[in-house]
Amino acid sequence: MGTTSLPTSWRSVLPHLDEQLPPDRTPQTASRDGVQVNLPMELVRQSVLQKEHWDIPAEIVEAYRAFRPTPLWRAERFERAVGARVPIYVKYEGGNISGSHKLNTALAQAYYYAKAGVRELVSGTGAGQWGTALAAACAMFGMKCTVFMVGNSLRRKPYRGTLMRTLGATVHASPSPLTEVAAQSRAGVNSLSLAIGEAVEYAAKTDGAAFCIGSGETYSILHQSVIGLEAADQLAALDAEVDAVVGCVGAGSNFGGIALPFFAEAAATGTRAPLLLAAESSTTPKLTRGTYAYDRTDATGTGPMEAMYTIGSSYPIPDSHSAGLRFHGAAKVLSAMRHRDQIAATAIGQVDALDAGRLFTRSEMVLPAPESGHALAAAARLASAGADANSGLLRSERGVVVCVSGHGYLDLGAYQQLMDGELSDVAPDPEELRRAMSGLQTAQEPVGAGAHHD
């Protein structure tokens, strides 16, 4: 098992992109009374400055020491189970109180918000991993926490709510009766966009509160770089080489966390970057079937419009156990890189994802979250297949490293349905996709950027 020291700085990919990210735009629906999301200045700086290395404050490093560095190992039994031709290395982020990688940025954000004088953090969560991480971080830094969790996910996984409440958080099923955006929405109970929208509205109306989110923001992906930095050192300690890096994608924090440090290192040293493969849910195929356009990030429609790969924030996402992957858009930094062919993507169905997760459990004795099953299925294809018919990607020739972003102990209902034969995959309706993406403003190619394909 690979070990390494705990990183004391985060690494940004921004200095290594050909151009700056497309600027955000003010939505046409915005007014003087529109919701404002106020970030601590340090998070703003981390989102825009062309600075590569950011010192991690001592208080955050000390908090990380409770669970970092996280383990990396060669999953040889899983390799045999999937018929892999090359090694598969696993970076496991599920061994902390939140059960996922989300705690990496939750601790950082709670630290910066607390320093800014905020007394309560409010957020939306899909599968509950982010909500749990935020509840834990707020408890550590002495803050209140309020979480809006996608209703279907909370009903399927009530103990996620119990864990958040144990940590001191207040938890509401979304849609809730507390917000106007929920009363007016047509997105339904499966929408992470709606849960986020409720949190934005609630925070704006509550004294001493601030909205925060932990997935697609550039600063959040920066905080997650500890994953890739550790993984690179651990692979080097094992004298291992990989030519593919895989992570699942909701908005993109764990994928960005493990993949972008490899891209930054290749750019800094003038070497070729490995294949960076984003595994998304087939129910929410923004990177494989979406469009690169300006879209809103939540259901209020009052926040800045971001350039992203999106299937449209109004798209009624089919119900599935992809949970935290059910977000309509991808992070703007990942979207820009996808637009320039710097990352690749493939869509995985929930049955394949849970099959891969079950196989990984039986072979490696680690139960992955359903989201992580998407990454494991994609990694297995790269390591064992001649060519992936879905993505057109050739197999790995040297090795694959995959981020298992969280554990599945609160997702056993999904595995039970799989074993009972009750699951199937619902393909997105092409007409619904077209309708949800119609009218979006295309994000123009930045000057000097490379060609792209959809």
Side-chain angles (χ1 to χ4, degrees):
M1 184 175 293
T3 60
T4 188
S5 59
L6 173 64
T8 56
S9 63
W10 296 302
R11 189 172 191 176
S12 173
V13 75
L14 295 182
H16 298 295
L17 300 182
D18 296 335
E19 296 289 334
Q20 293 187 1
L21 301 179
D24 294 349
R25 295 179 180 175
T26 302
Q28 295 178 352
T29 56
S31 68
R32 291 182 180 179
D33 297 325
V35 173
Q36 299 296 316
V37 178
N38 296 316
L39 291 176
M41 186 52 63
E42 189 66 5
L43 296 182
V44 175
R45 294 175 68 244
Q46 291 171 3
S47 298
V48 299
L49 293 186
Q50 302 294 301
K51 177 180 176 181
E52 184 168 3
H53 299 283
W54 295 80
D55 290 340
I56 305 175
E59 295 90 337
I60 302 174
V61 172
E62 188 58 30
Y64 281 172
R65 290 191 194 282
F67 61 98
R68 305 210 69 87
T70 59
L72 178 143
W73 72 93
R74 181 175 173 182
E76 295 186 67
R77 293 183 297 275
F78 183 65
E79 290 170 15
R80 291 193 290 271
V82 300
R85 302 186 180 198
V86 297
I88 299 175
Y89 298 93
V90 172
K91 179 67 167 165
Y92 181 59
E93 291 290 308
N96 62 69
I97 183 63
S98 75
S100 82
H101 70 291
K102 298 287 190 177
L103 194 56
N104 297 324
T105 187
L107 287 167
Q109 291 189 49
Y111 168 81
Y112 288 122
Y113 276 103
K115 283 194 68 176
V118 172
R119 301 188 301 274
E120 178 181 359
L121 291 179
V122 185
S123 197
T125 190
Q129 293 174 338
W130 166 245
T132 307
L134 189 64
C138 286
M140 182 166 290
F141 286 101
M143 307 172 75
K144 293 178 63 178
C145 181
T146 298
V147 177
F148 291 83
M149 183 169 174
V150 173
N152 267 5
S153 288
L154 182 57
R155 282 182 282 276
R156 284 191 178 124
K157 293 178 284 188
Y159 292 124
R160 270 289 175 193
T162 301
L163 179 53
M164 286 183 257
R165 294 183 183 104
T166 300
L167 288 163
T170 299
V171 183
H172 302 287
S174 176
S176 79
L178 302 177
T179 65
E180 294 181 11
V181 68
Q184 298 171 1
S185 175
R186 64 176 287 270
V189 296
N190 297 325
S191 173
L192 180 54
S193 173
L194 176 57
I196 292 171
E198 289 205 81
V200 169
E201 180 184 327
Y202 182 90
K205 296 177 180 178
T206 305
D207 290 341
F211 168 78
C212 75
I213 197 68
S215 187
E217 297 67 33
T218 303
Y219 55 82
S220 176
I221 292 174
L222 172 70
H223 303 154
Q224 297 294 355
S225 66
V226 292
I227 304 173
L229 293 170
E230 286 181 5
D233 284 349
Q234 289 166 321
L235 289 169
L238 296 173
D239 292 324
E241 293 186 356
V242 298
D243 55 7
V245 182
V246 183
C248 60
V249 169
S253 64
N254 93 86
F255 171 73
I258 193 169
L260 299 195
F262 284 87
F263 183 90
E265 179 64 18
T269 57
T271 56
R272 182 170 182 170
L275 170 71
L276 309 178
L277 180 61
E280 64 183 5
S281 167
S282 62
T283 65
T284 321
K286 53 264 184 173
L287 290 172
T288 53
R289 296 180 63 181
T291 184
Y292 190 44
Y294 277 92
D295 199 2
R296 58 189 185 180
T297 58
D298 66 83
T300 67
T302 55
M305 303 281 283
E306 294 184 1
M308 64 176 78
Y309 268 92
T310 176
I311 54 173
S313 58
S314 65
Y315 178 71
I317 297 168
D319 192 17
S320 79
H321 286 291
S322 59
L325 306 188
R326 289 201 309 263
F327 186 63
H328 65 276
K332 58 185 176 183
V333 63
L334 298 182
S335 293
M337 294 178 71
R338 170 66 168 159
H339 195 61
R340 304 172 195 177
D341 282 336
Q342 293 167 329
I343 66 173
T346 188
I348 305 292
Q350 67 172 343
V351 173
D352 285 347
L354 288 166
D355 274 336
R358 186 184 180 203
L359 194 59
F360 189 79
T361 303
R362 296 175 69 175
S363 57
E364 297 296 320
M365 301 296 138
V366 172
L367 178 70
E371 297 93 334
S372 299
H374 293 71
L376 287 167
R381 291 179 185 178
L382 285 178
S384 60
D388 185 340
N390 292 323
S391 68
L393 300 170
L394 298 178
R395 69 170 184 256
S396 166
E397 297 294 342
R398 289 187 292 170
V400 178
V401 60
V402 54
C403 183
V404 174
S405 57
H407 70 61
Y409 291 110
L410 295 175
D411 300 282
L412 286 170
Y415 285 99
Q416 183 65 53
Q417 285 187 285
L418 174 75
M419 291 183 287
D420 290 345
E422 297 176 356
L423 291 184
S424 60
D425 290 308
V426 180
D429 180 86
E431 181 57 27
E432 288 278 11
L433 283 174
R434 186 200 64 76
R435 186 180 300 114
M437 290 187 286
S438 65
L440 295 177
Q441 294 179 313
T442 300
Q444 296 299 316
E445 178 81 23
V447 177
H452 82 284
H453 65 267
D454 292 326

